[in-house]
Amino acid sequence: MATPLTDQEKRKQISIRGIVGVENVTELKKGFNRHLHFTLVKDRNIATPRDYYFALAHTVRDHLVGRWIRTEQFYYETDPKLGLDMEDLEEMEEDAGLGNGGLGRLAACFLDSMSTLGLAAYGYGIRCEYGIFNQKIKEGWQVEEADDWLRHGNPWEKARPEYMLPVHFYGRVEESKEGARWVDTQVVLAMPYDTPIPGYMNNTVNTMRLWSARAPNDFNLKDFNVGDYIQAVLDRNLAENISRVLYPNDNFFEGKELRLKQEYFVVAATLQDIIRRFKISKKGSTGPVSFDSFPEKVAIQLNDTHPAMAIPELMRVFVDVEKLDWDKAWAITKQTFAYTNPTVLPEALERWPVGLLETLLPRHLQIIYRINQGHLDGIGALFPGDLNRIRRMSLIEEDGGKRVNIAHLCIVGSHAVNGVAEIHSNIIKNDVFRDFNELEPDKFQNKTNGITPRRWLLLCNPGLAELIAEAIGEGYVKDLSQLQKLNELVNDDAFIRDVSNVKQDNKVKFSQYLEKEYKVNINPSSMFDVHVKRIHEYKRLLLNCLHIVTMYNRIKKNPKAPFVPRTVIIGGKAAPGYHMAKKIIKLITAVGHVVNKDPVVGSKLKVIYLENYRVSLAEKVIPATDLSEQISTAGTEASGTGNMKFMLNGALTIGTMDGANVEMAEEAGEENMFIFGMRVEDVAEMDVQGYDARTYYNNIPELKQAVDQIQGGFFSPKQPELFKDVTNMLFNHDRFKVFADYEGYIKCQEKVSQLYQSPKEWTQMAIKNIAASGKFSSDRTITDYATQVWGVKPTDLKIPPPNEPRKALEETARVLTEK
């Protein structure tokens, strides 16, 4: 009988399978040797693990380059492996500092799906020198350290200085007979860096193009002329600071000049790049380039409001540079853009001061005013005399100083607007943007988020991926709806046992990681209860914390009573300036310190705070999770994607009817999730009636005990007042109504513990959840965007590999055109 493959061996097999499908291993080895030779400097002949990582990365990049070029043509015109550990090399790779919380990760899933679906697509962003900060937990407090993710270089990217572009700031507007001219500007150069984004087994390789800010050589040349050479050189840093650091706020607007510079920088460079490619596609036509077909060739999806300045920028290019008539330019612009709204939290919505725009982007402010005038004229004609409606729908807010409402700009300047889960899209239509929905109901859509199964199953959980492939075939990797076939195996004892074994193997592996990194002994048979996400009050980690304290008190009260062992694992970063979020982290770590040190508790309950939660750590913890915590107040989480990742990897969910949880419950059946708490309607009614936290505190003894312990310094004996501001918030201004859902949450957790004592039933429920997770593939999400918003169709055609003659490429293109 053959020895079963380890997870590590399965990952190697999956990696090599994709490579061997098109190239023989001997050629790969030669490439690896060549790169390793040139990686080593003259005075150093001993290869380090990082040398091996760069040699491997460059070898894989070489493998992709031919397909990358072929994709561009198609759409746009000694054995050193001995003794090397693939997993160790993977650990060398830095997490790319490309995004903030779930939104950046979602964009990465979308790029993967667009390539896999054969869509010709670019992903644009900023190449931030420093990504979201590295989090250290010191004495229970979050401490931020710079995320210098590029310090060792990035073997996947390719600098493209030949496509460097100018971006303008400041200056003034001159009016003439020929129209407006933006003059006396300060110029910053945008240098593109390209990263290949391969599709799954189809030879398509799309491009992620990230812009890095560079000062031009004549930057502040006037200072050279007056002799201040040093200052002029130092001032170059001011220009290059634009791409220096990623703003670490998630779901919170910070209206600083540098932030607006970043937002305009990326869209100005990107639009120049898009228009350049459009003009190339028009080569051979006579006369001036016509932009009539621009929306047929170009679709731009605004992922949140951050790239919203693309709307006035495209208008500026069309009207001022290309000399299009305003009405024609506006019609083309609206047909080009679509807007995704990913949050309903008011503090996350961008509102830029008019004064700042007037200084930094004076021509764009003029264009926004003109867009707004046309918009308000239309509303006035439809609703004569309704001044309140005009005030509510204006792009310019007057209260507390003039500001531009960027979400309103996105809605008015786009032909389609979508939320990211059914419940969220309904809130957008019926509440947040109700006036706009009444004006243009056909504009508003839903596009429920999704995740890529290639990363969030095949890569991170090869044991489960292989088990599923053996059961139903490999087709599910590109068609996740095929997971429904697993329903036929829900009562298959052998399959139930295999799924349970994969989960246990993942838990043992993660336990070993925790013991190594956190020096705490974990019981791998305990329930792994996991709550990982950006730290924000609406995600209600405080509710989880109250449950931990309640479990602790129950054990202390009756140590001999039966108790289902739990390891509660919490992780996430708080924005550096978010005081309450950082205090919540301190509270959780303080509670954990008391619980983990108490001999009466022993191995029944452990609390771990995962330091520096990030994608590479998520890939370790998600496959090992038994219970996924998705407990935001109903109506506050737009969608969530972590919830989907846990579901796909066989965790059960305890959650509220919020975000994509609602659709997960529809797919799996509410009886196969642990649903509790207020619904959106209940929250709305409570907002009207009033929320009195003290009523719950006085009527629920276990809640009162837990809150008194936190408030009285039980978990902070050296600083008894430490958590007074937390309890004060919970009593007096808790927007997210933690106490109102406490009792339902505790009772639901009791059901969780009860089911966990029946391993077979637990695993059967997990299989039902995996089988129901097909809807939550980003392939489905992108197919919906493509067909319903962008006006393109995915294709399953496989681009011929680079070693096949160009004639094969032309034949494939012909077939695609006919389709």
Side-chain angles (χ1 to χ4, degrees):
M1 185 175 173
T3 306
L5 294 173
T6 65
D7 271 3
Q8 189 175 328
E9 288 165 338
K10 286 173 185 168
R11 287 179 78 163
K12 286 183 184 175
Q13 195 177 72
I14 288 168
S15 300
I16 290 169
R17 187 186 299 155
I19 295 170
V20 171
V22 284
E23 286 186 15
N24 66 61
V25 175
T26 304
E27 289 302 310
L28 288 175
K29 289 178 178 176
K30 285 180 183 176
F32 185 91
N33 278 320
R34 185 178 70 253
H35 279 297
L36 187 61
H37 173 76
F38 288 112
T39 297
L40 300 177
V41 294
K42 289 180 181 177
D43 60 348
R44 179 163 58 82
N45 293 316
I46 299 172
T48 67
R50 191 168 300 282
D51 293 326
Y52 288 129
Y53 161 65
F54 267 77
L56 179 63
H58 282 123
T59 304
V60 175
R61 191 179 74 177
D62 287 351
H63 166 74
L64 293 176
V65 161
R67 286 154 187 73
W68 200 2
I69 293 169
R70 184 52 67 100
T71 300
E72 290 285 321
Q73 292 171 339
F74 185 63
Y75 290 117
Y76 305 103
E77 212 306 326
T78 33
D79 190 348
K81 291 172 75 173
L82 291 175
L84 293 185
D85 189 312
M86 189 76 161
E87 236 171 43
D88 287 346
L89 294 186
E90 287 172 354
E91 288 296 322
M92 299 297 298
E93 186 166 29
E94 299 278 348
D95 282 38
L98 301 180
N100 212 326
L103 199 60
R105 183 58 247 162
L106 178 71
C109 286
F110 282 179
L111 292 180
D112 173 280
S113 287
M114 287 190 284
S115 292
T116 298
L117 292 169
L119 296 171
Y122 272 69
Y124 285 99
I126 297 179
R127 181 182 179 268
C128 292
E129 191 176 323
Y130 293 92
I132 185 170
F133 60 88
N134 284 322
Q135 179 196 58
K136 298 290 183 186
I137 302 295
K138 296 183 178 176
E139 298 182 350
W141 293 99
Q142 171 179 294
V143 177
E144 300 87 26
E145 294 183 356
D147 174 22
D148 190 6
W149 73 286
L150 291 168
R151 65 189 178 282
H152 297 297
N154 178 5
W156 303 110
E157 68 183 8
K158 175 85 172 76
R160 305 299 299 272
E162 68 272 26
Y163 294 125
M164 191 139 57
L165 296 166
V167 176
H168 298 260
F169 296 99
Y170 303 109
R172 58 190 176 84
V173 181
E174 271 186 0
E175 300 288 351
S176 68
K177 291 179 181 177
E178 288 75 36
R181 289 177 62 238
W182 187 18
V183 298
D184 298 338
T185 58
Q186 185 184 103
V187 177
V188 176
L189 298 177
M191 159 86 97
Y193 286 79
D194 287 357
T195 299
I197 307 293
Y200 184 76
M201 303 292 278
N202 66 351
N203 292 334
T204 296
V205 181
N206 280 328
T207 302
M208 177 174 69
R209 177 161 286 179
L210 303 179
W211 301 102
S212 180
R214 297 283 186 271
N217 287 331
D218 60 353
F219 186 81
N220 278 1
L221 189 62
K222 63 182 185 299
D223 291 334
F224 283 71
N225 297 334
V226 296
D228 198 349
Y229 168 79
I230 299 296
Q231 188 57 48
V233 172
L234 292 176
D235 282 352
R236 291 174 64 88
N237 284 333
L238 297 176
E240 296 178 358
N241 279 345
I242 290 173
S243 60
R244 194 79 70 201
V245 65
L246 176 77
Y247 268 81
N249 287 337
D250 181 62
N251 280 312
F252 185 78
F253 169 58
E254 187 169 13
K256 294 188 175 177
E257 182 175 322
L258 178 59
R259 178 66 170 156
L260 181 55
K261 273 188 174 179
Q262 288 183 334
E263 294 185 1
Y264 177 67
F265 172 77
V266 69
V267 302
T270 296
L271 286 174
Q272 288 180 75
D273 201 42
I274 290 170
I275 290 168
R276 173 187 62 80
R277 283 204 308 278
F278 175 77
K279 287 183 174 180
I280 288 172
S281 75
K282 292 291 182 181
K283 264 186 179 175
S285 56
T286 57
V289 173
S290 169
F291 286 91
D292 291 357
S293 64
F294 193 77
E296 296 167 24
K297 300 292 185 183
V298 176
I300 302 175
Q301 192 71 34
L302 302 174
N303 195 8
D304 205 349
T305 55
H306 308 135
M309 295 310 292
I311 294 169
E313 171 65 4
L314 188 59
M315 285 297 292
R316 185 190 70 81
V317 172
F318 281 162
V319 173
D320 296 358
V321 180
E322 303 295 342
K323 303 302 181 185
L324 268 64
D325 167 77
W326 175 276
D327 290 339
K328 184 174 185 179
W330 183 235
I332 294 171
T333 295
K334 284 189 71 170
Q335 282 306 306
T336 300
F337 287 108
Y339 163 52
T340 298
N341 172 280
T343 180
V344 294
L345 294 176
E347 62 265 39
L349 298 175
E350 292 188 295
R351 292 172 167 88
W352 287 106
V354 163
L356 177 57
L357 281 165
E358 196 167 29
T359 301
L360 192 65
L361 301 168
R363 178 60 180 140
H364 298 75
L365 181 62
Q366 289 183 344
I367 290 169
I368 290 169
Y369 271 127
R370 183 162 176 184
I371 292 170
N372 193 42
Q373 189 58 56
H375 167 58
L376 296 183
D377 287 347
I379 295 168
L382 288 169
F383 304 96
D386 194 343
L387 297 181
N388 275 334
R389 183 180 293 267
I390 287 174
R391 178 185 54 78
R392 292 194 307 267
M393 296 183 72
S394 175
L395 307 190
I396 311 298
E397 297 180 343
E398 305 281 351
D399 298 341
K402 280 192 176 183
R403 296 177 300 175
V404 178
N405 186 312
I406 303 298
H408 288 186
L409 174 63
C410 288
I411 294 169
V412 171
S414 298
H415 71 277
V417 177
N418 70 276
V420 290
E422 284 286 356
I423 186 173
H424 170 237
S425 297
N426 289 334
I427 290 170
I428 283 176
K429 288 190 285 189
N430 301 326
D431 186 3
V432 182
F433 302 129
R434 180 177 178 176
D435 291 326
F436 291 91
N437 182 54
E438 288 176 357
L439 187 68
E440 297 179 282
D442 293 340
K443 179 181 279 192
F444 287 80
Q445 306 181 13
N446 174 62
K447 297 287 173 283
T448 299
N449 280 340
I451 57 171
T452 168
R454 271 75 64 181
R455 177 172 296 275
W456 295 111
L457 185 56
L458 264 70
L459 182 71
C460 74
N461 199 347
L464 182 59
E466 199 75 20
L467 180 61
I468 293 170
E470 288 168 4
I472 65 171
E474 295 186 6
Y476 77 91
V477 179
K478 292 183 77 170
D479 177 12
L480 207 61
S481 67
Q482 291 187 27
L483 290 179
Q484 292 173 352
K485 297 175 185 176
L486 294 177
N487 282 318
E488 298 169 14
L489 299 170
V490 166
N491 297 312
D492 185 309
D493 287 340
F495 188 70
I496 293 167
R497 184 185 63 248
D498 289 343
V499 170
S500 180
N501 288 341
V502 166
K503 179 65 71 176
Q504 193 57 34
D505 289 347
N506 290 335
K507 290 174 69 175
V508 168
K509 188 175 179 182
F510 192 62
S511 296
Q512 292 166 349
Y513 172 83
L514 290 178
E515 287 171 21
K516 178 185 171 188
E517 295 294 321
Y518 297 92
K519 308 296 185 273
V520 59
N521 290 322
I522 301 300
N523 174 9
S525 297
S526 65
M527 183 199 306
F528 281 18
D529 176 349
V530 178
H531 199 170
V532 284
K533 44 190 77 242
R534 284 303 295 270
I535 308 302
H536 195 293
E537 288 160 82
Y538 83 87
K539 295 176 186 285
R540 297 204 297 191
L541 285 95
L542 286 172
L543 185 56
N544 192 342
C545 189
L546 287 169
H547 177 237
I548 296 168
V549 175
T550 301
M551 287 191 290
Y552 172 75
N553 288 335
R554 288 180 178 182
I555 294 170
K556 292 290 283 184
K557 183 178 180 181
N558 191 353
K560 293 184 179 179
F563 185 87
V564 177
R566 281 200 194 215
T567 300
V568 182
I569 299 167
I570 298 175
K573 296 175 182 178
Y578 191 170
H579 166 78
M580 184 56 68
K582 295 177 91 166
K583 188 60 75 75
I584 289 168
I585 292 174
K586 174 60 177 174
L587 173 60
I588 292 165
T589 57
V591 170
H593 181 76
V594 171
V595 170
N596 296 343
K597 298 285 185 185
D598 195 318
V600 174
V601 175
S603 62
K604 291 178 180 177
L605 182 61
K606 294 288 182 188
V607 181
I608 307 291
Y609 198 91
L610 287 181
E611 185 179 75
N612 203 33
Y613 182 65
R614 59 203 184 279
V615 171
S616 55
L617 189 48
E619 290 170 359
K620 292 181 174 69
V621 67
I622 289 173
T625 298
D626 292 308
L627 183 69
S628 163
E629 300 269 355
Q630 309 295 334
I631 59 176
S632 52
T633 310
T636 60
E637 184 73 84
S639 166
T641 50
N643 46 4
M644 303 169 186
K645 293 164 192 171
F646 285 108
M647 183 187 197
L648 180 60
N649 282 273
L652 299 186
T653 300
I654 183 168
T656 51
M657 283 301 235
D658 195 25
N661 292 357
V662 177
E663 288 158 82
M664 287 163 57
E666 287 171 359
E667 296 295 305
E670 205 171 317
E671 70 278 6
N672 292 309
M673 293 173 67
F674 299 101
I675 299 296
F676 74 95
M678 296 179 289
R679 310 288 168 117
V680 168
E681 304 77 28
D682 302 322
V683 174
E685 187 178 340
M686 187 172 284
D687 284 334
V688 173
Q689 302 290 334
Y691 166 61
D692 180 11
R694 287 200 177 270
T695 300
Y696 298 96
Y697 168 79
N698 290 325
N699 291 334
I700 307 170
E702 285 189 311
L703 172 62
K704 184 177 189 302
Q705 181 187 6
V707 172
D708 287 349
Q709 286 170 307
I710 294 167
Q711 187 170 235
F714 181 85
F715 298 106
S716 55
K718 293 181 180 177
Q719 295 176 274
E721 306 281 308
L722 184 59
F723 300 118
K724 281 278 179 74
D725 50 351
V726 176
T727 52
N728 179 56
M729 179 275 292
L730 287 170
F731 279 125
N732 300 311
H733 43 91
D734 176 13
R735 295 158 55 200
F736 306 109
K737 305 173 180 62
V738 169
F739 291 179
D741 273 344
Y742 169 84
E743 195 166 32
Y745 180 56
I746 297 298
K747 288 178 179 175
C748 196
Q749 287 283 16
E750 289 167 359
K751 292 179 185 175
V752 171
S753 293
Q754 186 178 356
L755 184 66
Y756 194 74
Q757 294 177 83
S758 304
K760 181 178 178 180
E761 286 81 359
W762 180 280
T763 304
Q764 285 177 304
M765 193 180 284
I767 293 169
K768 290 175 184 176
N769 273 266
I770 297 168
S773 58
K775 175 180 180 177
F776 305 107
S777 168
S778 50
D779 296 347
R780 189 268 315 149
T781 310
I782 289 300
T783 298
D784 287 350
Y785 275 111
T787 56
Q788 298 166 24
V789 179
W790 305 333
V792 293
K793 288 183 179 178
T795 174
D796 55 4
L797 283 178
K798 188 173 182 178
I799 295 178
N803 55 340
E804 287 189 18
R806 187 178 176 90
K807 191 174 180 182
L809 178 70
E810 292 165 355
E811 175 61 19
T812 307
R814 184 188 64 76
V815 173
L816 181 64
T817 303
E818 288 176 358
K819 286 182 100 177

